């Protein structure tokens, strides 16, 4: 099997419009959650979110592109441009023919859907723009990334709710690892912060009205975010031959299904995904120093995740650091794992562990070191990224310092 490394990273999210800004915010424990700025916000019970501020799409895309790109696609392209630019790759000939895109997304073009439902049902219009379907389809982001960068190999979108990005990156990892593709662009994007998107999530009664406090005893729900993360996964020998700067090595992954409940998480399902990732990577439990938690800030998720980690790691759980960066950038649903992988790269490459901010009260059911409120300097060789989605779909990635 081939070894797989990351040679480029890009993002846009509530913490920053690029990787540098995002990691600086994570190191500082800065919160990107604030009052929502969207139409009819006064009709929402939940009026906070982690919106991407000062995003001037008109300066990044031409008029024709703006007609075709939903906000989630815009985010994906900006992140991919940064990642591929950092990698130094250009796709021509055989490299272009074999390289592709796998992106995670859950809601598709929710902004487009919301706008056009309003147009038809509220404004009474009988016709919508001819590009509505290609603008809102879930695969729009992956398709436009492939077209902009001449990526002619396997390209598709994975939709598994909150685990979409991790599932997507796992597929890209497997393609490079197996030798199918020398390079894959991967990650995820989401933009559900519109009236219809937030109103739908309100119905689940899992949303906080004031803050995201993962693992804190007084936590009261998740907070939605938006944005994208993108990475260049590259076969190691290919990267070394061209003198690429390697950010980290992807060493393993595992997936599992709870097969139990559509919304309630299962400790057993999560534990099988975590232990499976260790086995797939050939790692011992003691090798892991940091876990980027799914850590949504809901009562059920946080205690279930901590219990699963305790079961898998046994006594070593007491030496682990596990933080939820959703406390800063919110829950990007299908795009969340891609932004969270940046925290794992920062841990293994820079020796900085991102904190769980807004932590106020210890919870005996979450008795793991959650790196409360302040980032920490630490020697981390291996990091895991957890994603546990509605539908009981779990995906865990393992990174190692290179």
């Amino acid at each position: 099997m081939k070894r797989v490394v990351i040679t480029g990273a890009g993002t846009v999210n509530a913490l920053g419009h690029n990787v540098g800004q995002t990691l600086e915010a994570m190191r500082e424990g800065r919160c990107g959650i604030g009052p929502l700025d969207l139409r009819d916000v006064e009709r929402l019970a939940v009026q906070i979110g982690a919106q991407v501020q000062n995003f001037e799409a008109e300066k990044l895309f031409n008029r024709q592109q703006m007609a075709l790109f939903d906000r989630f696609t815009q985010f994906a392209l900006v992140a991919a441009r940064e990642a591929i630019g950092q990698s130094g790759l250009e796709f021509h000939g055989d490299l272009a023919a074999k390289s592709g895109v796998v992106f995670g997304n859950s809601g598709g073009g929710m902004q487009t859907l919301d706008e056009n439902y309003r147009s038809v049902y509220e404004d009474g219009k009988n016709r919508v723009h001819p590009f509505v379907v290609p603008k809102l389809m879930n695969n729009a982001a992956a398709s436009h990334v492939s077209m902009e960068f001449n990526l002619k190999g396997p390209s598709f979108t994975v939709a598994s709710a909150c685990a979409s990005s991790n599932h997507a990156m796992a597929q890209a990892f497997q393609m490079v690892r197996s030798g199918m593709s020398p390079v894959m662009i991967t990650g995820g994007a989401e933009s559900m912060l519109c009236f219809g998107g937030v109103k739908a999530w309100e119905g689940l009664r899992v949303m906080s009205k004031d803050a995201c406090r993962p693992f804190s005893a007084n936590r009261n729900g998740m907070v939605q975010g938006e944005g994208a993360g993108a990475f260049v996964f590259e076969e190691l020998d290919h990267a070394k031959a061209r003198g690429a700067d390697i950010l980290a090595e992807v060493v393993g992954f595992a997936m599992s299904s709870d097969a139990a409940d559509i919304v309630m998480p299962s400790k057993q399902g999560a534990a099988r995904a975590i232990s499976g990732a260790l086995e797939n990577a050939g790692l011992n439990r003691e090798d892991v120093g940091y876990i980027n938690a799914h850590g949504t800030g809901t009562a059920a998720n946080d205690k279930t995740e901590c219990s699963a980690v305790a079961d898998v790691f046994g006594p070593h759980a007491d030496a682990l650091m596990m933080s939820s960066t959703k406390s800063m950038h919110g829950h990007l649903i299908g795009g969340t794992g891609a932004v969270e992988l940046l925290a794992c790269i920062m841990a293994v490459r820079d020796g900085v562990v991102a904190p769980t901010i807004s932590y106020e009260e210890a919870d005996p059911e979450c008795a793991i070191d959650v790196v409360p409120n302040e980032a920490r300097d630490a020697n981390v060789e291996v990091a895991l990224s957890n994603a546990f989605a509605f539908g009981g779909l779990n995906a865990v990635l393992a990174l190692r310092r290179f």
Side-chain angles (χ1 to χ4, degrees), residues 225-249:
E226 63 176 359
F231 303 91
V232 177
F233 282 16
E234 185 171 356
E235 193 272 313
L236 174 60
D237 289 341
H238 188 274
K240 288 171 68 174
R242 64 184 191 86
D245 180 26
I246 294 171
L247 304 180
E249 182 176 5

Side-chain angles (χ1 to χ4, degrees), residues 127 150 152 207 219 236 279 287 307 349 399:
R127 182 179 297 174
N150 195 37
K152 299 180 178 180
M207 304 275 282
R219 63 191 181 275
L236 174 60
E279 181 180 357
D287 295 328
S307 182
R349 181 175 169 88
L399 292 192

Side-chain angles (χ1 to χ4, degrees), residues 209-238:
K209 296 181 180 180
D210 58 355
C212 181
R213 304 182 187 89
F215 308 117
S216 187
N218 62 338
R219 63 191 181 275
N220 61 0
M222 57 170 271
V223 175
Q224 271 203 65
E226 63 176 359
F231 303 91
V232 177
F233 282 16
E234 185 171 356
E235 193 272 313
L236 174 60
D237 289 341
H238 188 274

Side-chain angles (χ1 to χ4, degrees), residues 38-371:
L38 51 86
R39 183 176 174 182
D40 288 339
V41 68
E42 69 279 356
R43 293 179 56 200
L44 295 171
V46 173
Q47 298 183 8
I48 63 168
Q51 283 183 295
V52 177
Q53 302 294 334
N54 305 312
F55 184 74
E56 298 178 300
E58 297 80 6
K59 294 183 178 179
L60 300 167
F61 307 105
N62 63 38
R63 185 177 176 182
Q64 183 180 7
Q65 290 171 322
M66 290 295 293
L68 274 171
F69 298 167
D70 184 87
R71 190 169 167 90
F72 92 99
T73 296
Q74 296 169 14
F75 290 155
L77 283 163
V78 170
R81 287 172 181 176
E82 183 183 7
I84 294 171
Q86 182 183 25
S87 77
L89 284 165
E90 294 183 1
F91 296 94
H92 306 290
D94 193 50
L95 181 63
K98 293 182 178 179
S99 301
V101 187
V102 188
F103 252 70
N105 170 258
S106 182
M110 283 293 296
Q111 305 280 346
T112 299
L113 200 64
D114 196 54
E115 291 165 9
N116 284 276
Y117 274 151
R118 283 186 182 276
S119 178
V120 172
Y121 292 117
E122 187 173 317
D123 300 337
K125 294 184 179 179
N126 292 323
R127 182 179 297 174
V128 297
H129 195 284
F131 290 161
V132 165
V133 169
K135 194 172 180 180
L136 64 78
M137 61 191 187
N138 290 67
N139 63 298
S143 295
H144 284 295
V145 169
S146 74
M147 288 185 279
E148 180 160 327
F149 295 100
N150 195 37
L151 299 160
K152 299 180 178 180
S155 296
F156 58 96
T157 295
V158 176
S160 53
C162 314
S164 299
S165 285
N166 273 24
H167 275 121
M169 292 187 290
Q171 301 314 306
F173 168 59
Q174 188 73 343
M175 287 178 183
V176 179
R177 192 191 213 184
S178 68
M180 178 184 291
S181 299
V183 177
M184 291 294 294
I185 311 305
T186 189
E190 198 80 87
S191 182
M192 288 188 175
L193 291 179
C194 56
F195 178 80
V198 177
K199 181 58 72 176
W201 276 90
E202 282 182 359
L204 285 165
R205 299 181 182 180
V206 296
M207 304 275 282
S208 173
K209 296 181 180 180
D210 58 355
C212 181
R213 304 182 187 89
F215 308 117
S216 187
N218 62 338
R219 63 191 181 275
N220 61 0
M222 57 170 271
V223 175
Q224 271 203 65
E226 63 176 359
F231 303 91
V232 177
F233 282 16
E234 185 171 356
E235 193 272 313
L236 174 60
D237 289 341
H238 188 274
K240 288 171 68 174
R242 64 184 191 86
D245 180 26
I246 294 171
L247 304 180
E249 182 176 5
V250 189
V251 290
F253 80 97
M255 302 172 280
S256 70
S257 175
D258 295 347
D261 192 278
I262 198 69
V263 292
M264 289 299 293
S266 158
K267 177 180 76 169
Q268 292 77 16
R272 284 189 292 111
I274 296 168
S275 60
L278 297 178
E279 181 180 357
N280 184 257
L283 295 168
N284 297 314
R285 291 175 297 181
E286 293 74 22
D287 295 328
V288 180
Y290 170 63
I291 299 174
N292 186 281
H294 190 58
T296 60
T298 64
N301 174 87
D302 293 5
K303 67 180 182 182
T304 300
E305 184 168 14
C306 287
S307 182
V309 168
D311 281 3
V312 171
F313 288 93
H316 183 60
D318 294 334
L320 280 172
M321 294 170 285
M322 183 170 79
S323 67
S324 172
T325 52
K326 287 183 177 71
S327 58
M328 294 182 275
H329 54 64
H331 191 342
L332 280 67
I333 317 299
T336 201
V339 174
E340 289 165 352
L341 198 71
L342 292 169
C344 293
I345 292 173
M346 183 172 73
V348 299
R349 181 175 169 88
D350 303 328
V352 179
V353 174
T356 303
I357 69 166
S358 302
Y359 183 86
E360 296 177 349
E361 299 178 25
D363 182 347
E365 292 190 285
C366 300
I368 288 177
D369 179 2
V370 298
V371 196

Side-chain angles (χ1 to χ4, degrees), residues 369-382:
D369 179 2
V370 298
V371 196
N373 299 316
E374 293 184 1
R376 190 178 303 166
D377 293 332
N379 181 23
V380 177
E381 179 73 22
V382 173

